[in-house]
Amino acid sequence: MEHRRTPSRNQFVPSSWFIVFTIAVCVVAAAGIGWLLIDTDSSDGDSAGPTVTATTPTPTEATEATPTPTPTPTPTPTEPPVSRDTPVSVLNNTTVVGAANAFATKVRNAGWTVGGVGNWRGSVGQNTVYYPTGLQDEASLLAKDVGIDRVRPRVAPMRTDRLTIILSGPQ
């Protein structure tokens, strides 16, 4: 019958604020791990553009009566246009709650895909677009599309498969 006894009042029961705090810490930790580990884009972004090859016609024997044909100009190879296919992360470094979500809407309206929204811990002087190696042209286009003047190479721990916007001032 020992198991049917009412438990004594001397048992430890954590306070409600401690339980809520513990749950909040677990949720934030899981979100942080998910942000760092989940990769939504499996391509490495290295793709070669189309190759244009110019051929020259073989010379034919010309006679005195046949006029010499004028060569047609061959088109010069051009750079492929910069696309808006690279995902973009928008991070809030302001005290304004929801600034990154609001700015992410502006990014989507400009034709870009938002790959993540969150907060940035640290100090950034002004709104900045950060780019990984090989995506500087895309970063410049994104900055122009959303009205940001500052474009810089990525810093750790930013992801290498996307552009990152850090908001630090008025939008």
Side-chain angles (χ1 to χ4, degrees):
M1 290 285 236
E2 187 67 30
H3 69 279
R4 290 188 177 178
R5 290 183 53 196
T6 306
S8 68
R9 299 249 185 231
N10 295 337
Q11 294 179 348
F12 175 72
V13 177
S15 62
S16 60
W17 68 266
F18 182 76
I19 294 170
V20 171
F21 177 74
T22 304
I23 292 171
V25 167
C26 290
V27 168
V28 169
I33 290 171
W35 174 263
L36 293 175
L37 298 179
I38 296 176
D39 186 10
T40 58
D41 185 15
S42 60
S43 67
D44 23 324
D46 294 334
S47 61
T51 305
V52 177
T53 307
T55 58
T56 56
T58 57
T60 58
E61 291 185 10
T63 61
E64 289 180 21
T66 308
T68 308
T70 56
T72 57
T74 58
T76 58
T78 59
E79 292 291 322
V82 178
S83 70
R84 291 176 173 87
D85 295 335
T86 305
V88 179
S89 291
V90 182
L91 304 177
N92 188 0
N93 192 41
T94 70
T95 58
V96 179
V97 175
N101 279 327
F103 201 82
T105 301
K106 184 175 185 178
V107 171
R108 283 185 196 96
N109 290 341
W112 294 86
T113 301
V114 175
V117 175
N119 294 314
W120 178 260
R121 296 184 79 178
S123 178
V124 177
Q126 67 187 71
N127 295 347
T128 307
V129 175
Y130 291 92
Y131 62 89
T133 304
L135 294 177
Q136 184 173 3
D137 293 339
E138 288 83 352
S140 296
L141 178 61
L142 173 62
K144 180 180 157 202
D145 286 350
V146 297
I148 294 177
D149 298 327
R150 189 170 183 231
V151 178
R152 298 285 187 266
R154 73 172 275 281
V155 295
M158 291 178 189
R159 302 213 10 201
T160 59
D161 65 338
R162 63 189 59 202
L163 302 172
T164 302
I165 295 176
I166 296 184
L167 304 174
S168 62
Q171 283 74 49

